[in-house]
């Protein structure tokens, strides 16, 4: 067992100090810590494992062959110092003290000859495993902290989106329209109220066109309702549309005498004159 | 705390890059006085302004432009790109209610029709909102009034309706005969089967 | 409703401008599949990828770079510019205690882990605040419950954790290998030494 643990070590030599760029605490060569600094000193440790790791690394002993006697003694001195200064001592520290004492005593005991072959392990093995696992996490945490991190080391680009406030309007497709009519027709059939007439769409379109031309309370000369550019078929459809409008009493056609100009007017205009 | 190079040793090109970078990440517009704070040594407002104008030029023809607002300078997207950016939004497109769609279909196929006609066909009262929705969209309007008591308005579809649905004329609407054929197919079991089983 | 030009009529240069604009405004990383949705007609992933690599080149030497993170592509500032950007900040970004960072490391490297697992490894009680800090930052969350008494929550890192650290996946975390080698050495005495000492 190495007795190196008690020998003073330069704090800069310890692993803790190297990984974090600077020593956590400028530890005095002996165990004496000024009372007002003890708290600060202990705050630098994340728990008993961290403190143990510090004590081991500081003296450069082999972590795989920890000298339990001096380590336990040194650890207990820290715990005692903490108690002495009425510092709130986490239960974890006391638990570790008990563990260290137990390991130390087991190492002092002679090994039972039978069990030694198969199941008896080095009493320190579990402690070593925990220390190394913790050290691994500690180093990983330090490296994780060094990774470039948003807001600390870089920023996300976020350009303002200029938007015209446009109300999103539903889109309607011909298929939607078809489906709507399908529902209406089915409904109508079920009720048998209505027979849906099949009608030339173009006639109804021209009815609308003629009504649009008749906007306002004016008489329009009959012939002007017809656009020769539509061709014969178009003219026929326009004429049919006019007849339909008359039939549905949507327009009024007037002619004062035979061969006089024929005038067309929207039906509602008639009220005003009557 | 490496603290950046001094302004003297920074090229104006480097200053411009710093301004650009700050403006690209800023959550809001940055005033010239704020932009001057970016540098260890104040480059002065004249230089900052000059570089901002250079940046405006540099960003010509891109999807993003540097503009001056009340609060300062900021990068923002050009409106022409909104159509693309909108596609990234996962919002589902709004849909019209069944009442609106059926009313639209009736007006489209049976125009000109009064509200009463629509109600007769649908067998339910048509709410004013339904017609207002379609009028506001610019898809239907009143083209006249029927000479019956109350002189109800006659609704018809507009040119905008045709344009928005990509039609050249109403004759390009799916023919009703076809729709009814579909309907017959759909209804076949309902109407035919009882007859078959009844014989 | 002008609906953008078709891809065929869009030059690849224009496509690149659209990609760039979307990436500059996006609140998070954009995956290639999302970027393809920008266009009325899908340009295909090959073209999008090619243009992304072109954009990476285009932005060389600027304060901002286009990078690929866990969720996709994103523009972020180069580390060298942070010293300038920090001068505009009202508040410092949070610094995390060793307790927070060690807890994060355990969750990152050993996930999914319970609070008990974390306490076992660190040898101290994990305060609720530590986990709350990490959850509030959106870096860890509970992904399930271990089927043991008390059904403790299992913590894992989130995609935001990867994104905020500029990682594409957990495999890009700094490797633990060196210490694991030491751990292997530790196992050796466990099995070998008793035999030796038993002689």
């Amino acid at each position: 067992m190495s007795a190196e643990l008690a020998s003073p070590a330069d704090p800069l030599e310890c692993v803790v100090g190297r990984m974090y760029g600077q020593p956590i605490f400028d530890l005095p060569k002996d165990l004496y810590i000024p009372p007002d600094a003890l708290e600060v000193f202990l705050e630098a440790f994340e728990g008993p494992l961290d403190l143990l790791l510090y004590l081991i690394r500081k003296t450069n002993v082999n972590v795989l062959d920890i000298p339990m006697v001096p380590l336990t003694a040194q650890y207990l001195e820290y715990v005692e110092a903490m108690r002495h200064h009425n510092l709130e001592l986490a239960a974890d520290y006391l638990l570790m003290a008990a563990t260290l004492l137990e390991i130390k005593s087991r190492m002092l005991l002679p090994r039972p000859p039978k069990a030694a072959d198969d199941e008896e392990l080095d009493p320190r093995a579990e402690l070593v495993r925990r220390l190394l696992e913790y050290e691994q996490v500690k180093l990983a945490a330090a490296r994780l902290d060094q990774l470039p991190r948003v807001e600390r080391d870089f920023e996300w680009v976020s350009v303002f989106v200029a938007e015209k406030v446009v109300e999103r309007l539903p889109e309607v497709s011909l298929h939607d329209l078809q489906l709507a009519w399908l529902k209406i027709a089915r409904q109508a059939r079920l009720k048998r109220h209505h027979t849906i007439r099949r009608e030339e769409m173009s006639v109804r379109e021209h009815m609308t066109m003629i009504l649009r031309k008749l906007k306002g309370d004016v008489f329009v000369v009959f012939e002007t309702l017809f656009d020769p550019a539509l061709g014969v078929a178009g003219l026929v459809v326009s004429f049919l549309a006019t007849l339909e409008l008359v039939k549905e009493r949507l327009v009024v056609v007037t002619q004062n005498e035979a061969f006089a100009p024929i005038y067309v007017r929207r039906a509602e205009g008639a009220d005003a004159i009557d | 705390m490496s603290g950046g190079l001094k302004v003297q040793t920074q090229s104006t090109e480097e200053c411009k890059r710093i301004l650009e970078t700050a403006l690209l990440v800023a959550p809001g517009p940055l005033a010239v006085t704020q932009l001057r704070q970016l540098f260890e040594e104040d480059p002065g407002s004249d230089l900052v302004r000059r570089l901002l104008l250079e940046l405006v030029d540099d960003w010509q023809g891109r999807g993003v432009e540097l503009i001056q607002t009340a609060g300062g300078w900021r990068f923002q997207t050009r409106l022409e790109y909104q159509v693309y950016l909108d596609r990234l939004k996962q919002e589902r497109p709004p849909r019209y209610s069944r009442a609106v769609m059926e009313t639209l279909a009736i007006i489209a196929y049976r125009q000109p029709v009064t509200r009463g006609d629509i109600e007769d066909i649908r067998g339910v009262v048509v709410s004013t909102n339904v017609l207002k929705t379609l009028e506001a969209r610019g898809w239907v309007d009143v083209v006249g009034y029927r000479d019956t008591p109350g002189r109800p308005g006659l609704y018809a579809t507009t040119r905008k309706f045709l344009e928005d649905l990509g039609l050249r004329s109403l004759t390009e609407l799916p023919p009703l005969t076809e729709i009814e054929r579909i309907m017959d197919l759909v209804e076949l079991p309902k109407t035919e089967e009882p007859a078959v089983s009844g014989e």
Side-chain angles (χ1 to χ4, degrees), chain A, chain B:
Chain A
M1 246 179 251
S2 155
E4 301 273 291
L5 204 66
S7 71
D10 181 354
L12 287 173
E13 285 292 311
C14 77
V15 173
V16 178
R18 278 208 302 278
M19 286 315 294
Y20 285 85
Q22 55 188 31
I24 294 168
F25 190 79
D26 191 13
L27 194 70
K29 289 186 177 178
D30 59 16
L31 258 180
Y32 176 74
I33 299 166
D36 53 333
L38 185 61
E39 198 164 356
V40 180
F41 174 76
L42 286 171
E43 273 174 6
F45 294 104
E46 284 297 317
L49 285 174
D50 200 22
L51 174 57
L52 273 181
L53 211 50
Y54 172 79
L55 295 174
I56 292 165
R57 291 303 188 195
K58 157 174 99 85
T59 49
N60 251 335
V61 299
N62 184 359
V63 75
L64 301 181
D65 188 19
I66 303 169
M68 285 311 293
V69 175
L71 180 72
T72 306
Q74 206 163 33
Y75 182 88
L76 289 175
E77 276 181 83
Y78 277 106
V79 169
E80 210 38 59
M82 284 186 253
R83 269 187 167 164
H84 188 69
H85 291 92
N86 290 320
L87 290 173
E88 205 183 313
L89 195 58
D92 311 305
Y93 281 94
L94 296 175
L95 187 66
M96 180 57 75
T99 307
L100 291 176
L101 287 169
E102 197 223 330
I103 294 172
K104 192 180 77 171
S105 59
R106 275 171 63 195
M107 290 189 72
L108 294 175
L109 289 174
R111 286 161 190 265
K114 270 288 235 200
D117 287 340
D118 37 15
E119 55 188 50
E120 182 68 8
L121 297 176
D122 186 328
R124 299 170 297 178
E126 173 62 12
L127 178 66
V128 170
R129 189 197 63 75
R130 290 186 66 194
L131 282 170
L132 286 176
E133 184 171 36
Y134 175 68
E135 184 168 43
Q136 183 182 41
V137 161
K138 188 171 147 176
L139 298 180
R143 294 172 81 175
L144 213 53
D145 206 22
Q146 283 162 4
L147 286 182
R149 183 194 302 167
V150 73
E151 284 163 16
R152 187 188 66 182
D153 307 301
F154 65 88
E155 306 287 336
W156 302 122
V157 167
S158 70
V159 166
F160 181 81
V161 183
E163 278 182 306
K164 269 185 297 215
V165 186
V166 279
E167 192 196 347
R168 287 198 74 202
L169 294 168
E171 304 229 339
V172 170
S173 69
L174 288 178
H175 179 69
D176 297 329
L177 215 55
Q178 219 168 352
L179 282 177
W181 187 267
L182 188 64
K183 283 179 189 159
I184 297 163
R186 188 184 293 166
Q187 198 70 22
R189 274 201 174 190
L190 290 174
K191 293 192 174 173
R192 308 230 172 248
H193 274 171
H194 258 274
T195 44
I196 311 279
R197 274 175 297 159
R198 299 182 180 191
E199 204 155 5
E200 269 300 315
M201 211 46 241
S202 55
V203 172
R204 303 225 64 99
E205 182 168 34
H206 276 82
M207 287 165 70
T208 295
M209 281 162 59
I210 291 166
L211 281 171
R212 284 189 197 285
K213 279 186 186 166
L214 294 175
K215 278 258 157 125
D217 183 23
V218 289
F219 285 100
V220 169
V221 180
F222 184 70
E223 290 92 313
T224 63
L225 295 177
F226 301 93
D227 181 0
L230 293 174
V232 178
L235 291 175
V236 170
V237 171
S238 295
F239 186 66
L240 288 173
T242 312
L243 291 182
E244 187 64 29
L245 286 168
V246 172
K247 200 179 97 194
E248 291 189 18
R249 304 220 301 153
L250 297 175
V251 300
V252 176
V253 178
T254 53
Q255 187 178 33
N256 287 336
E257 54 188 297
F259 306 113
I262 301 170
Y263 292 100
V264 185
R265 200 184 55 169
R266 297 210 309 209
E268 75 269 14
D271 293 342
I273 286 174
D274 287 347
Chain B
M1 310 295 141
S2 63
L5 296 167
K6 296 262 164 104
V7 171
Q8 289 91 332
T9 58
Q10 269 170 346
S11 66
T12 52
E13 200 55 34
E14 180 63 10
C15 286
K16 197 160 85 175
R17 288 285 86 86
I18 294 165
L19 290 172
E20 182 183 63
T21 305
L23 288 161
L24 282 170
V25 302
L30 292 174
V32 170
T33 47
Q34 287 173 288
L35 289 167
R36 284 162 64 181
Q37 289 165 21
L38 283 165
F39 305 94
E40 191 166 29
E41 214 155 298
D42 182 7
S45 57
D46 284 351
L47 179 59
V48 170
R49 268 181 235 279
R50 204 189 81 205
L51 294 175
L52 286 168
L53 293 176
E54 280 185 33
L55 279 172
V56 170
D57 275 352
D58 293 349
W59 282 80
Q60 289 299 328
R62 312 281 284 272
V64 161
E65 60 187 333
L66 181 59
I67 61 142
Q68 196 178 4
T69 69
W73 294 77
R74 79 161 167 226
F75 277 110
Q76 64 175 44
T77 56
R78 288 179 207 277
L79 285 174
E80 307 93 271
Y81 285 78
Q82 185 176 354
V83 58
Y84 303 105
L85 303 178
D86 278 347
R87 297 205 183 99
L88 285 186
K89 295 183 186 163
Q90 293 296 308
E91 296 163 32
R92 285 188 51 187
R95 293 191 64 82
Y96 282 129
S97 68
R98 179 173 170 182
V100 170
M101 282 309 298
E102 290 188 7
T103 302
L104 179 62
I106 292 166
I107 296 173
Y109 283 104
R110 308 284 298 121
Q111 60 190 287
V113 288
T114 65
R115 186 162 162 172
D117 296 338
I118 299 166
E119 291 178 342
D120 280 350
I121 296 172
R122 290 197 61 223
V124 287
V125 171
V126 173
S127 87
T128 307
N129 276 342
V130 166
L131 285 165
K132 272 198 186 143
T133 300
L134 292 169
E135 283 183 293
R137 184 80 190 248
W139 281 356
V140 309
D141 61 357
V142 173
V143 292
Y145 297 87
R146 183 170 287 157
D147 193 17
T148 51
R151 301 188 54 255
L154 286 161
Y155 289 92
T157 55
T158 62
R159 173 171 290 270
K160 186 173 184 336
F161 166 76
L162 293 178
E163 281 167 4
D164 287 356
L165 269 78
L167 301 170
R168 270 169 301 183
S169 95
L170 285 175
T171 56
E172 290 187 357
L173 280 174
L176 288 183
T177 47
E178 194 186 311
I179 300 177
E180 279 159 10
R181 219 186 54 239
I182 296 167
M183 188 183 68
D184 285 343
L185 287 175
V186 173
E187 296 213 328
L188 258 181
K190 281 191 195 160
T191 52
E192 298 289 324
E193 268 184 352
V196 172
S197 60
E199 63 182 14

